[in-house]
Amino acid sequence: MKRLIFAALALLALTACRDKYEARITDLRLVSVDPRTGFPGELVTIFGWNFSPEASENEVCFGGEKAIVLEASSGRLQVVLPNLPVGNYKISVKSPLGYQEGLSFSFLKAPDKIFRVSTIVGQQGQRKCVDGVGTEALTYMPTGISKAPDGTLWFTDRGGNKVRRIAKDMTVQTIVDASAPGAAVWQGCFDGEGNYWFNDKANGTLKRYEPAAGRTVTVATGMKSPMNVVMTSSGDFLVPARDDKAIWKFDGSGNKTKFADVEFGPSFIAIDPKGNVVSATHNGYRIISISPDGSTWKTIVGDGVKGSEASDGIDGDPLTATITSCHGIDFDSHGVMYISDASFHRIRRLVPDADGNYETGVLETVVGGVKGYADGKGLNVKFNEPDGILVYDDATLYVCDAQNCLIRKIEIQ
C-alpha cells in the first residue's frame, strides 16, 4: 500500500513539474535605481515591473518632485533628475497599473565643471599584457600611472609585473619586465634624472629602472607591502609600507631611515603644495596629513569609521565624510586634491579653503560611484576599483581602472 502511495505522489510531482509556470504578477514593482546618487539634470534609470511603455503614462517623483520621463518600457524608465537640494529622497512611480514607492536616491552637490571619461587603453575584463595602439593594447591590472619627463605616460601593470609606456600617439610599449616569483609590481615615480622608481609590493623591494643604461637596480629590500614611492623636494624618496605601518625614507644611494609611523597602515602617499605628506590609510578610514619633517600628523578627510555607503560629508568639514581604501592621490596647480577611491568606485575632489587648508575644504564626488564599467560623464561613469590617478594638467586626469583592466582619461570642461 505504501508503495502505491509513493508512486502516486511521484506521478503528481512529475506532472506538476511538466506544467508550464506562468508569472501572475501584474502590479507595479520597483526593483533598483542606477546610479543611486546624482546631480539635478542628470539621467538615471529605474528598473522594475509593469511600467507603461508610453513614457507620458508614467509619473516619477523624487521626494514628491516630478522628474521628466524620457524613455519607457515595461521594465525600465529613464528619467531626468529634478532640481532638488542635497539630501536623500524617496522615489515614487505611478502608472496605469498602480503606485509604488520605496527606493531611495541621494542628491549630491553638482560640481562647477563637467568631468567626461573615456577609455584610452585596454578592453574591459581582458586581463592580458599585450602591446599595441590605444584600446588594441591590453593590460592585466594597472595600478599606478606617472608623467615622464618627455610627457609620455608610464604605468605599472600588476599581475603582468611590467612597467609600460603610453606614447603620445597612444602606442603602448612594455619597458620593464619585472617578473619574479610571487611579484606584484606597484606604483612608482620619476627622479630628476629621468630614472623610474617603483615597488614590488609582494616581495617588499624598491627598484629603480635606469633608461640610459637599460637596467633595473634593486635599491632596498625587507619592507612589508610597499605601496608607492614619491620624491621629495630635497631629492629623497618616501615609501609607504602598509604592513610595516611606517613610511620609510631613502636617499639617492638607498640608505634607509624611518620618516614616520602610521598606525593605520599607509596605503598611498603624495606630497601636497605645502610639502606635507598626505597619506591614505589601510584601516584608519581617513586620509591624514603629515608635517614635512614627519613629526606630527592630523586627519584631513574621513570620520575614521568603516562605512558601507560613501558620503562626502558636510561642506567645510571633510572629517564627516566616509572613506575607505584609496590607492591614488594627486594635486592640480591650484592645490585641489583628487582622490581615487577604490572601495567606493569613484573619483573625489577636495577643494581646500581660502587659506589652503584641506580639513576645512569641500569634498565632492565628481566621477563614478557604482561598480561596473561605463564611459560618459559625472556619476553616470562606472569604475571597478580605480587605483592610481595622475593630474596631467589642470584639464586632464588619468586613472588606472584596475579591475576593469583599463586606463581611463578624464577631461575637465
Side-chain angles (χ1 to χ4, degrees), residues 342-357:
S343 292
F344 290 134
H345 313 288
R346 64 189 59 206
I347 305 301
R348 306 167 94 168
R349 178 178 71 168
L350 177 57
V351 180
D353 68 15
D355 295 322
N357 298 317

Side-chain angles (χ1 to χ4, degrees), residues 266-290:
S267 59
F268 186 90
I269 61 171
I271 299 176
D272 76 12
K274 295 182 179 180
N276 300 302
V277 177
V278 174
S279 176
T281 57
H282 176 57
N283 57 10
Y285 314 114
R286 69 190 75 193
I287 294 175
I288 65 174
S289 177
I290 306 171

Side-chain angles (χ1 to χ4, degrees), residues 237-255:
F237 297 87
L238 300 180
V239 177
R242 185 190 67 194
D243 297 339
D244 285 329
K245 297 185 177 181
I247 298 173
W248 299 107
K249 181 169 74 172
F250 298 88
D251 62 20
S253 300
N255 297 310

Side-chain angles (χ1 to χ4, degrees), residues 46 59-67 82 84 90-94:
I46 299 170
E59 182 182 284
V60 178
C61 293
F62 292 76
E65 190 74 18
K66 285 186 181 181
L84 284 172
K90 293 292 185 182
I91 301 173
S92 65
V93 177
K94 182 180 179 180

